Amino acid sequence: ILLNPGSYARLGENTEFEFVTTSLENLKVNIKRGSAIFEVLADNDFRVAVAAPNADFYLIKSGVYRVNVSSTENGATTAGLEVWKGRAQVGDGASELLKNGQSAT
């Protein structure tokens, strides 16, 4: 899926998602289940926000990211972010900054 010129989302099989907003100044995708790889050209004017159950991720620097949302045996849902290249933020502005090779659940 083309997000903007040069930015793409690649969705895994059986992934459920929706666009919360489609504005280039405020693009937000909600991943309900499954996995997605984001290849993003980000700058001060364009970032991608990814909502997942119990987590929000902000892809703030150009790079490649993977988001996984899965359910456990007891029905709980977990969301994880892997930063393959780039920088991402977990949660609001006071939260953790992830760099190349880091991940968060």
Side-chain angles (χ1 to χ4, degrees):
I1 299 170
L2 179 64
L3 302 175
N4 79 335
S7 296
Y8 301 90
R10 292 173 173 83
L11 305 174
E13 186 176 356
N14 298 318
T15 297
E16 184 179 340
F17 85 103
E18 68 180 343
F19 283 104
V20 178
T21 61
T22 57
S23 165
L24 289 182
E25 295 82 29
N26 185 27
L27 181 67
K28 188 169 188 176
V29 178
N30 183 5
I31 305 292
K32 296 180 179 184
R33 69 180 172 122
S35 64
I37 294 175
F38 293 91
E39 185 176 342
V40 175
L41 289 176
D43 59 25
N44 291 337
D45 296 328
F46 179 76
R47 298 180 184 194
V48 176
V50 180
N54 305 316
D56 285 321
F57 306 118
Y58 300 92
L59 314 180
I60 59 176
K61 187 174 178 188
S62 295
V64 181
Y65 308 87
R66 182 175 181 141
V67 176
N68 295 307
V69 176
S70 59
S71 297
T72 62
E73 291 178 11
N74 64 2
T77 303
T78 61
L81 170 69
E82 298 173 13
V83 178
W84 293 352
K85 179 181 177 186
R87 292 211 174 154
Q89 192 172 5
V90 179
D92 62 18
S95 62
E96 184 178 2
L97 185 68
L98 300 176
K99 301 175 186 173
N100 298 350
Q102 294 181 320
S103 62
T105 303

